[in-house]
Amino acid sequence: MRLFRLFVPRTTVSAHCDLPCGVYDPAQARIEAESIKAICEKYQANEDPEFRTRSLIIKEQRAELVKHHLWVLWTDYFKAPHFEKYPHLHGLFNEATKLAGAGGAKGSADPEVAGRLLAKINEISEIFWETKQA
Amino acid sequence: MRLFRLFVPRTTVSAHCDLPCGVYDPAQARIEAESIKAICEKYQANEDPEFRTRSLIIKEQRAELVKHHLWVLWTDYFKAPHFEKYPHLHGLFNEATKLAGAGGAKGSADPEVAGRLLAKINEISEIFWETKQA
Amino acid sequence: MRLFRLFVPRTTVSAHCDLPCGVYDPAQARIEAESIKAICEKYQANEDPEFRTRSLIIKEQRAELVKHHLWVLWTDYFKAPHFEKYPHLHGLFNEATKLAGAGGAKGSADPEVAGRLLAKINEISEIFWETKQA
Amino acid sequence: MRLFRLFVPRTTVSAHCDLPCGVYDPAQARIEAESIKAICEKYQANEDPEFRTRSLIIKEQRAELVKHHLWVLWTDYFKAPHFEKYPHLHGLFNEATKLAGAGGAKGSADPEVAGRLLAKINEISEIFWETKQA
Amino acid sequence: MRLFRLFVPRTTVSAHCDLPCGVYDPAQARIEAESIKAICEKYQANEDPEFRTRSLIIKEQRAELVKHHLWVLWTDYFKAPHFEKYPHLHGLFNEATKLAGAGGAKGSADPEVAGRLLAKINEISEIFWETKQA
Amino acid sequence: MRLFRLFVPRTTVSAHCDLPCGVYDPAQARIEAESIKAICEKYQANEDPEFRTRSLIIKEQRAELVKHHLWVLWTDYFKAPHFEKYPHLHGLFNEATKLAGAGGAKGSADPEVAGRLLAKINEISEIFWETKQA
């Protein structure tokens, strides 16, 4: 799967708390989104109402975490020069967080929607790792 | 104080959870930012180390809430047509949330910094209420 | 709508964290309750089971926030002289928080119940703003 | 220590979530308050600034939990007939939660203040267990 | 009910925050598990879909709290000598927390499963109080 | 840096929520621990009291997240056959979570302590990926 090729060089350390500590990693958002995709697949394959309700409860939490991790990258990691170099970056984050919300992975239990969210996170990751390279 | 003139027509109801319920209100971010400003003023006026530590603990939480409420407006309330009409809106939110973070109200206990955050939230509010009017 | 007449003078600044910062505002509880009412209306108009489950998840969270914001006002903002002047104030808060709980907005998806919660919050707001005036 | 005599008959099961499940227990507030008292004692005995900052961070969280557990008892467990039978019960809860806040265990690192909070929680417990007996 | 015999000597004070304050008490996990059992009983007795969804939402939260309180005991209270003296203690905690999770009280609304979780917590409590005695 | 060699094959998808979704990844604990190490380094290099207090606030949160992510792996991912094959695995997790707590990364601002936590997480990761291979 080509999708996560760029995650390979994991020794690179990034930054994510708002000290800031300087450790950011799009893997945090991606892992939650992978979880959402797996939840959707299990949801579609299981008609037990208790299981389905639990799936939606947990999917809602995971999607909120995706939004949170992406917002942190957008506000805390990316700086003015990045937004100049990648003019569509604002829009990309806005679409990605929308895709994690009511119009996307929160509002839908379709694995395909979760897949689109993952692809969007992947686009962000590619830019993230390019900026770390530089 | 001219600053909150535009908050006056409070009967207008807006939207904020990600059902979405359709009830948004920049007052949520503003109230937390007012709290930060008041904390900073009390911090500067009180040298007791316990009080100062508590101030920083609480300021950190309030600033995180400001970021959260602004992120919600940016992702959940504002739509593509808004971003077309207000091309600087992405940047405005990015700057406002940065001003609530390490480089702003989290990292500083200066009431003036909190004041700048409030002014930024006010700019967002003006646009918000214009879009509700339309 | 007469309901929020008293919210108009928004320039007044109040207090809400437990430093305390001195910034309180019943609008925090009201906004969450407005959200609950909107969720109930959408719930009644939509029979999709996934949507309904999500509605109940989010309504539960919002109702918890209403309770929290009211409790903060009751414990942190109102002082002994207020309770003397308004002898029914304890009961009013107890009823309002109960109305946000299992016997009210948590346990019911009826917009009318949410409306009663909003009316109760409004009663509290009227007293709140009277005490700020004094 | 006479203080917790009344906690003895632990087999009695009570209720605390807002389903409601019907399981309430003042021990939840008491355990957090015991923790606060122990933190205050360790704080007074240790002048290391890192330790002291950590103490205040944790004490703040524990005090918030005390408030929360007490609020739940006040709103969810106690009903109108209880408030009629114990007319000072509203005031007792208001004072206890204030004692857990800025004017009490949050604002002070004095074990004596934590002790007063514990005594107040004990008064509430005595009433609680009386009402369970009835 | 023999189950909670060992909880009787409540005057003993234990430890639970990670300062550490030195106040631990398995009652915290037990109260949440009692709540889960009560929720399951109410769930089985009530076919209203809104009530059932709320039950599952709340049960999920309570089960997470059980896991958390048990993890804290396992990591923060129990030390190497305890694990030497009680060689099955690691396994006991692992099973207990699994019983609070997807394969137990989270995944099931059967009061009998909650009862097994309570029995497991009781086994842990017995060891806990033995170590406090020593 | 040899340390994270084993993280390389990132395309493998694992599991972490308690549906369970089946997506686990020790990277979640590792990223938080990297953050702690970076915070400690910044703490040692900066004597500003506000910065130091903020560092301790954030370090406390990150260390709690490390504990949480490790507990989830221990309870939710690893099963009885794993504990049979790796008899020291219980002890390893117990030590790792203790190293994230008061006796380790919470109680100390020494980067070396954070480094030991990272090494422990790395040991867990090696076993984790071995079990995924199988």
Side-chain angles (χ1 to χ4, degrees):
Chain A
M1 192 162 64
R2 193 195 147 281
L3 197 65
F4 298 110
R5 184 186 46 78
L6 70 164
F7 284 105
V8 174
R10 304 296 294 170
T11 42
T12 313
V13 172
S14 34
H16 80 309
C17 82
D18 203 5
L19 183 55
C21 64
V23 181
Y24 298 96
D25 195 329
Q28 292 189 305
R30 179 183 53 80
I31 292 169
E32 302 301 342
E34 289 285 356
S35 170
I36 291 169
K37 186 147 173 282
I39 291 168
C40 291
E41 283 158 4
K42 292 198 168 188
Y43 181 94
Q44 299 302 341
N46 192 329
E47 302 209 340
D48 176 64
E50 289 177 24
F51 183 86
R52 291 200 143 196
T53 298
R54 288 192 67 234
S55 301
L56 296 178
I57 293 167
I58 294 168
K59 183 164 67 69
E60 197 76 11
Q61 296 166 342
R62 296 299 144 182
E64 188 61 29
L65 285 172
V66 170
K67 292 175 81 169
H68 179 75
H69 289 309
L70 292 177
W71 283 330
V72 165
L73 286 180
W74 179 63
T75 290
D76 299 347
Y77 172 72
F78 286 107
K79 302 284 184 293
H82 299 130
F83 293 115
E84 272 166 51
K85 190 172 171 195
Y86 302 93
H88 68 304
L89 195 53
H90 283 314
L92 191 56
F93 269 102
N94 196 261
E95 286 159 30
T97 48
K98 276 182 165 70
L99 249 175
K106 277 192 184 174
S108 164
D110 181 347
E112 195 274 326
V113 171
R116 268 188 284 146
L117 172 60
L118 273 164
K120 215 56 143 184
I121 293 171
N122 193 40
E123 277 185 65
I124 288 170
S125 297
E126 297 216 25
I127 293 174
F128 174 84
W129 291 110
E130 277 175 28
T131 62
K132 301 292 285 187
Q133 238 64 225
Chain B
M1 194 162 66
R2 195 194 145 280
L3 197 67
F4 298 110
R5 185 184 47 77
L6 72 163
F7 285 105
V8 174
R10 305 295 295 169
T11 42
T12 313
V13 172
S14 36
H16 81 309
C17 80
D18 203 6
L19 182 56
C21 66
V23 180
Y24 298 97
D25 196 329
Q28 292 189 305
R30 178 182 53 80
I31 292 169
E32 303 300 343
E34 290 284 356
S35 170
I36 291 169
K37 187 149 172 279
I39 290 168
C40 291
E41 283 157 3
K42 291 197 169 189
Y43 181 93
Q44 298 302 341
N46 192 329
E47 302 208 339
D48 176 65
E50 289 177 24
F51 183 85
R52 290 200 145 195
T53 298
R54 289 192 66 234
S55 300
L56 296 178
I57 294 167
I58 296 169
K59 182 164 69 70
E60 198 76 11
Q61 295 166 344
R62 296 300 145 179
E64 188 62 28
L65 286 173
V66 169
K67 291 174 83 167
H68 180 75
H69 288 309
L70 292 177
W71 283 330
V72 165
L73 287 179
W74 179 63
T75 290
D76 299 347
Y77 172 71
F78 286 107
K79 303 283 183 296
H82 299 130
F83 294 115
E84 271 166 52
K85 191 171 169 194
Y86 303 93
H88 68 304
L89 196 53
H90 283 314
L92 191 56
F93 269 102
N94 196 262
E95 286 160 29
T97 49
K98 276 183 164 70
L99 249 175
K106 276 191 184 175
S108 163
D110 181 346
E112 196 274 326
V113 172
R116 268 189 283 145
L117 172 60
L118 273 164
K120 215 56 142 184
I121 293 172
N122 192 41
E123 278 186 65
I124 288 170
S125 296
E126 296 216 27
I127 293 174
F128 175 83
W129 291 109
E130 277 175 28
T131 62
K132 300 294 284 187
Q133 236 64 228
Chain C
M1 193 162 63
R2 193 193 148 283
L3 198 65
F4 297 109
R5 183 186 47 79
L6 70 161
F7 285 105
V8 174
R10 304 296 294 171
T11 41
T12 313
V13 172
S14 36
H16 81 307
C17 80
D18 203 5
L19 181 56
C21 64
V23 181
Y24 298 98
D25 196 328
Q28 292 189 305
R30 178 182 54 79
I31 291 169
E32 302 300 344
E34 290 285 354
S35 170
I36 292 169
K37 187 150 172 279
I39 291 168
C40 291
E41 283 158 3
K42 291 197 168 187
Y43 181 94
Q44 299 303 339
N46 192 330
E47 302 209 339
D48 176 66
E50 289 176 23
F51 183 86
R52 291 199 144 197
T53 298
R54 288 193 66 235
S55 300
L56 295 178
I57 293 167
I58 295 169
K59 182 164 68 70
E60 199 76 10
Q61 296 166 342
R62 296 300 145 181
E64 189 61 29
L65 286 173
V66 169
K67 292 176 82 169
H68 179 76
H69 288 309
L70 291 176
W71 283 330
V72 166
L73 286 179
W74 179 64
T75 290
D76 299 347
Y77 172 72
F78 286 106
K79 303 284 184 295
H82 299 129
F83 293 116
E84 272 166 50
K85 190 172 170 193
Y86 302 93
H88 69 302
L89 195 54
H90 283 314
L92 191 56
F93 269 102
N94 196 261
E95 288 160 29
T97 48
K98 277 183 165 68
L99 250 175
K106 276 191 185 174
S108 164
D110 182 345
E112 195 274 327
V113 171
R116 269 188 283 146
L117 172 60
L118 273 165
K120 216 54 141 187
I121 293 171
N122 193 40
E123 278 185 65
I124 287 169
S125 296
E126 298 216 25
I127 293 173
F128 174 84
W129 292 109
E130 277 175 28
T131 62
K132 300 294 284 186
Q133 237 63 226
Chain D
M1 193 162 64
R2 193 194 148 279
L3 196 68
F4 297 110
R5 183 186 48 78
L6 72 162
F7 285 105
V8 175
R10 305 295 295 168
T11 42
T12 313
V13 173
S14 36
H16 80 308
C17 80
D18 203 6
L19 182 56
C21 65
V23 181
Y24 298 97
D25 197 328
Q28 292 189 304
R30 178 181 54 79
I31 292 168
E32 302 300 343
E34 290 285 355
S35 169
I36 291 169
K37 188 149 170 281
I39 291 167
C40 291
E41 284 157 3
K42 292 197 167 188
Y43 181 94
Q44 299 302 339
N46 191 329
E47 301 209 340
D48 176 65
E50 289 177 24
F51 183 85
R52 291 199 144 195
T53 298
R54 287 192 67 235
S55 300
L56 296 179
I57 293 167
I58 296 169
K59 184 164 68 70
E60 198 76 11
Q61 295 166 343
R62 296 299 146 180
E64 188 60 29
L65 285 173
V66 170
K67 293 175 81 167
H68 180 76
H69 288 309
L70 292 177
W71 283 330
V72 166
L73 286 179
W74 179 63
T75 290
D76 299 347
Y77 172 71
F78 287 107
K79 302 285 184 296
H82 298 130
F83 294 115
E84 272 167 50
K85 192 172 169 193
Y86 302 93
H88 68 303
L89 196 53
H90 283 313
L92 192 56
F93 269 103
N94 196 260
E95 288 160 28
T97 48
K98 277 183 163 70
L99 250 174
K106 276 192 185 173
S108 164
D110 182 347
E112 196 275 325
V113 171
R116 269 189 281 145
L117 172 60
L118 273 164
K120 215 57 142 185
I121 292 172
N122 193 41
E123 277 186 65
I124 287 170
S125 296
E126 295 216 28
I127 293 174
F128 175 83
W129 291 108
E130 277 176 28
T131 62
K132 300 294 285 184
Q133 238 61 226
Chain E
M1 193 162 63
R2 193 193 146 283
L3 196 65
F4 298 109
R5 184 186 46 77
L6 70 162
F7 285 105
V8 174
R10 304 296 293 170
T11 41
T12 314
V13 171
S14 34
H16 81 309
C17 81
D18 204 4
L19 182 56
C21 65
V23 181
Y24 298 97
D25 196 329
Q28 292 189 305
R30 179 182 53 79
I31 292 169
E32 302 301 343
E34 289 285 354
S35 170
I36 291 169
K37 187 149 171 280
I39 291 168
C40 291
E41 284 158 3
K42 291 197 167 186
Y43 180 94
Q44 298 302 340
N46 191 330
E47 302 208 340
D48 176 63
E50 289 177 23
F51 183 86
R52 291 199 143 197
T53 298
R54 288 193 65 235
S55 301
L56 296 177
I57 293 167
I58 295 169
K59 183 164 69 68
E60 198 76 11
Q61 295 166 343
R62 297 299 146 181
E64 188 61 31
L65 285 173
V66 170
K67 293 175 81 168
H68 179 76
H69 289 309
L70 293 176
W71 284 329
V72 166
L73 286 179
W74 180 64
T75 290
D76 299 347
Y77 172 73
F78 287 107
K79 303 283 184 294
H82 298 130
F83 293 116
E84 272 166 51
K85 191 173 169 194
Y86 302 93
H88 68 303
L89 196 53
H90 283 315
L92 191 56
F93 269 103
N94 196 261
E95 287 160 29
T97 48
K98 276 183 164 69
L99 250 174
K106 275 191 185 175
S108 164
D110 182 347
E112 196 275 325
V113 172
R116 269 189 282 146
L117 172 60
L118 272 164
K120 217 53 144 185
I121 293 172
N122 192 41
E123 278 186 65
I124 288 170
S125 296
E126 297 215 27
I127 293 173
F128 174 84
W129 291 109
E130 277 175 27
T131 61
K132 300 293 286 186
Q133 237 63 223
Chain F
M1 195 160 66
R2 193 194 147 278
L3 197 67
F4 297 112
R5 183 186 47 78
L6 71 163
F7 285 105
V8 173
R10 305 293 297 167
T11 42
T12 313
V13 172
S14 35
H16 81 307
C17 81
D18 203 5
L19 183 55
C21 66
V23 182
Y24 298 97
D25 197 329
Q28 292 189 306
R30 178 182 53 80
I31 291 169
E32 302 300 342
E34 289 285 356
S35 169
I36 291 169
K37 186 149 172 282
I39 291 168
C40 291
E41 283 157 3
K42 291 198 169 187
Y43 180 93
Q44 299 302 340
N46 191 329
E47 302 209 340
D48 176 64
E50 289 176 24
F51 183 86
R52 291 199 144 196
T53 298
R54 288 192 66 233
S55 300
L56 296 178
I57 294 167
I58 295 168
K59 182 164 69 69
E60 197 76 12
Q61 296 165 344
R62 295 301 146 181
E64 188 61 30
L65 285 172
V66 169
K67 293 175 81 167
H68 179 76
H69 288 310
L70 292 177
W71 283 330
V72 166
L73 287 179
W74 179 62
T75 290
D76 298 347
Y77 172 73
F78 285 106
K79 302 285 184 293
H82 299 130
F83 294 115
E84 273 166 50
K85 191 173 170 193
Y86 303 93
H88 68 303
L89 195 53
H90 283 314
L92 191 57
F93 269 102
N94 196 261
E95 287 159 30
T97 48
K98 276 182 166 67
L99 250 175
K106 275 191 185 175
S108 164
D110 182 346
E112 195 275 324
V113 172
R116 270 189 282 147
L117 172 60
L118 273 165
K120 215 56 142 184
I121 293 172
N122 193 40
E123 278 186 64
I124 288 170
S125 297
E126 296 216 28
I127 293 174
F128 175 85
W129 292 109
E130 277 175 28
T131 63
K132 301 292 286 185
Q133 237 64 226

